[in-house]
Amino acid sequence: MWAMSAAGCRWVGVAGAVAVAAGGWVAGTLPARDPWGLWVPHGPGVTVAAGVVAYLGLTLLVAAWWGYGRAGASVRHTLATLGWWTAPMLLAPPLYSADVYSYVAQGAMVLEGHDVYGAGPSVLDPAGLGGDAAASVGGNWTDTPAPYGPVFLVLARVVTWVTGGTIVPAVLGMRLIAVAALALTVWALRRLGRSSPGGEGGALWLGALNPLLLLHVVGGMHNDGLMIALMLAGVVLARRGDWVLGSVLVGLAMMVKSPAAVALLFIGVIVGRAASGRPLAHRVVKGLLGPGVVAGAVAVAATLLAGTGFGWLRTQSVAGSIHTALSVTSDLGLALGELAHLVLSTDPDPVKAAVQRLGLAAALALIAHLAWRCAHGRLDPVHALGLALAALVALSPMVQPWYLLWGVVTVAAATGARDGRAVRVLAVLSAALVYETAPSGSTPAYGFALAAVVCVASVLLLRREASAAGEPGRVPGPRAAERDEARTP
């Protein structure tokens, strides 16, 4: 497999993507009700068989991605491969997550005038607009207010209005937004990747062709894809010297999901560096305040125009109330809280909350340190932004597998998959975390076991390849300059 050509890896990946999509038609995250009768449940035996097919397809896709990175494909070939791997998932039901049903239901809430930041989808009439989506929302989110910004809620409202809330076209409408986000991400990766050590090909391999992105942005339609796309596009413009428009795009990204705000700090570093001929005080003030003021103005304007209110300011911590096993700080806080309860008979919740806050404080300290290194010219701002986002995810009170993409895509843009330890870790985690969630959106225990096996296998494979090549810091990644474009099929 590892000696296979780029074309061979492409078709193995296509077979994997087709199997993932085909399995998803039966074992995916199907709606509770589908009036069209397309996405309906089947018997347990068929469902289990479809789940096995989806997992086998996922394995083919991951193996093809890893092998493709060693094949040295051209940029044009990589873009075509991305299209081939994406196409089978376009008409599939939601894969690996039920979040898209929340998006549609929240769009219906906005359309009907409900306070989306004060209530959950359960307020919708089961027989009315968005009722089928609300019935399909995962249990944790049925009564949970939206943690998303007004820009995304307006998009969800438009999709719900255009489709009348009918479940199949509404989901496909949200997938159209996800595919548009992928296209914008590719645009940004190519432009940022040109100045990276690995070039455009490496950036596209790690940042766009990544199975974690394909499954959770295209398959699962997570709005993290749109946040990443707008944020990276803003960074592209800032690197070109148009930091005002770049900050506008980051402001829009913040109004999808708030973690995009981290990018403002590093755009500020870019602004400060560009004003190198000015006094230090001028550079610091302009860098620290300029992007933030612009993005803040965008946030206020977007909120007023959307008419959803400023409730998003108080719902940013909503997700942290839901425990996820991938959050180190939540796991540690829970363990310490239970220990305190056993020894001191105290309430475990305040202990868990304190550990979560300490984790966020540590993340902020790391982000500040990375910005300081950038300001002193010791680190590229885009690379530092990727590391900062990865640190934020690692120390967040709630972590989902696709959150890793915040850092992965940004690091890919900065390094082109050619930067030693950080890239190796992100590549291995990308390959492993796709197994953590089942096609149905559940997180079974065997998913964590499979992820652990893939982690170990990937590390061993990297060590063997590095030893054979005499390059201990190398990870796979297309090398566009090393292949003749004419060889592209």
Side-chain angles (χ1 to χ4, degrees):
M1 173 68 202
W2 307 119
M4 190 177 292
S5 67
C9 290
R10 170 193 283 179
W11 300 119
V12 170
V14 169
V18 168
V20 167
W25 276 87
V26 177
T29 313
L30 304 178
R33 301 189 296 265
D34 173 16
W36 287 15
L38 292 176
W39 298 339
V40 294
H42 296 71
V46 177
T47 302
V48 170
V52 172
V53 169
Y55 271 110
L56 290 175
L58 176 59
T59 302
L60 286 177
L61 187 61
V62 170
W65 173 66
W66 202 268
Y68 195 90
R70 297 185 71 247
S74 68
V75 171
R76 187 171 67 182
H77 192 281
T78 302
L79 291 173
T81 300
L82 177 61
W84 279 104
W85 290 7
T86 300
M89 303 181 195
L90 295 181
L91 297 179
L95 302 173
Y96 300 94
S97 174
D99 281 10
V100 69
Y101 299 127
S102 292
Y103 302 161
V104 175
Q106 289 158 359
M109 290 176 65
V110 175
L111 198 58
E112 293 187 346
H114 295 285
D115 180 8
V116 75
Y117 296 122
S122 62
V123 302
L124 291 172
D125 180 0
L129 182 71
D132 290 340
S136 307
V137 172
N140 287 332
W141 297 101
T142 301
D143 297 304
T144 303
Y148 313 120
V151 166
F152 181 73
L153 293 177
V154 166
L155 292 174
R157 174 183 177 176
V158 170
V159 168
T160 306
W161 176 74
V162 169
T163 62
T166 306
I167 200 71
V168 172
V171 167
L172 295 181
M174 296 307 301
R175 182 165 279 138
L176 186 62
I177 293 174
V179 171
L182 175 59
L184 182 57
T185 300
V186 167
W187 176 86
L189 283 170
R190 293 192 66 184
R191 277 141 189 85
L192 292 171
R194 287 169 185 167
S195 58
S196 70
E200 291 181 48
L204 290 171
W205 172 78
L206 181 60
L209 206 61
N210 194 317
L212 190 65
L213 184 142
L214 297 180
L215 265 61
H216 287 294
V217 172
V218 179
M221 292 156 283
H222 288 291
N223 57 9
D224 301 72
L226 182 59
M227 179 199 79
I228 292 167
L230 290 169
M231 180 187 70
L232 278 187
V235 172
V236 169
L237 294 176
R239 288 288 288 261
R240 290 181 173 180
D242 193 351
W243 67 268
V244 174
L245 185 54
S247 299
V248 168
L249 290 183
V250 173
L252 293 175
M254 289 165 48
M255 293 297 94
V256 174
K257 294 191 78 169
S258 58
V262 176
L264 295 173
L265 182 59
F266 296 93
I267 287 180
V269 172
I270 294 172
V271 171
R273 284 184 175 183
S276 57
R278 299 294 187 93
L280 178 61
H282 173 87
R283 285 184 286 154
V284 171
V285 171
K286 184 177 181 180
L288 289 178
L289 297 182
V293 169
V294 172
V298 169
V300 171
T303 302
L304 294 175
L305 290 173
T308 55
F310 288 86
W312 56 269
L313 289 169
R314 68 173 182 270
T315 61
Q316 295 307 299
S317 60
V318 163
S321 62
I322 299 174
H323 186 87
T324 55
L326 290 177
S327 171
V328 175
T329 57
S330 291
D331 290 341
L332 179 60
L334 182 63
L336 292 177
E338 291 299 330
L339 180 61
H341 177 69
L342 289 174
V343 176
L344 304 174
S345 299
T346 58
D347 185 357
D349 290 339
V351 177
K352 179 181 177 181
V355 174
Q356 289 176 331
R357 286 193 292 269
L358 286 173
L360 287 175
L364 292 176
L366 283 171
I367 292 169
H369 175 68
L370 290 166
W372 182 87
R373 292 189 65 189
C374 286
H376 288 78
R378 300 178 183 176
L379 195 60
D380 173 71
V382 182
H383 187 188
L385 171 60
L387 296 177
L389 290 168
L392 180 62
V393 171
L395 295 169
S396 173
M398 179 181 180
V399 178
Q400 299 285 14
W402 54 92
Y403 288 7
L404 183 71
L405 293 170
W406 306 353
V408 168
V409 179
T410 310
V411 168
T415 66
R418 286 292 188 279
D419 192 45
R421 182 178 299 175
V423 173
R424 292 201 304 275
V425 170
L426 293 176
V428 168
L429 289 177
S430 294
L433 287 180
V434 291
Y435 290 91
E436 191 261 350
T437 309
S440 64
S442 64
T443 53
Y446 64 78
F448 291 93
L450 288 173
V453 169
V454 173
C455 263
V456 172
S458 299
V459 169
L460 293 176
L461 182 61
L462 276 177
R463 286 183 176 178
R464 189 181 71 179
E465 292 179 344
S467 177
E471 301 177 15
R474 183 182 180 275
V475 296
R479 297 179 295 277
E482 297 176 11
R483 293 294 183 270
D484 187 349
E485 290 280 350
R487 294 176 57 189
T488 305

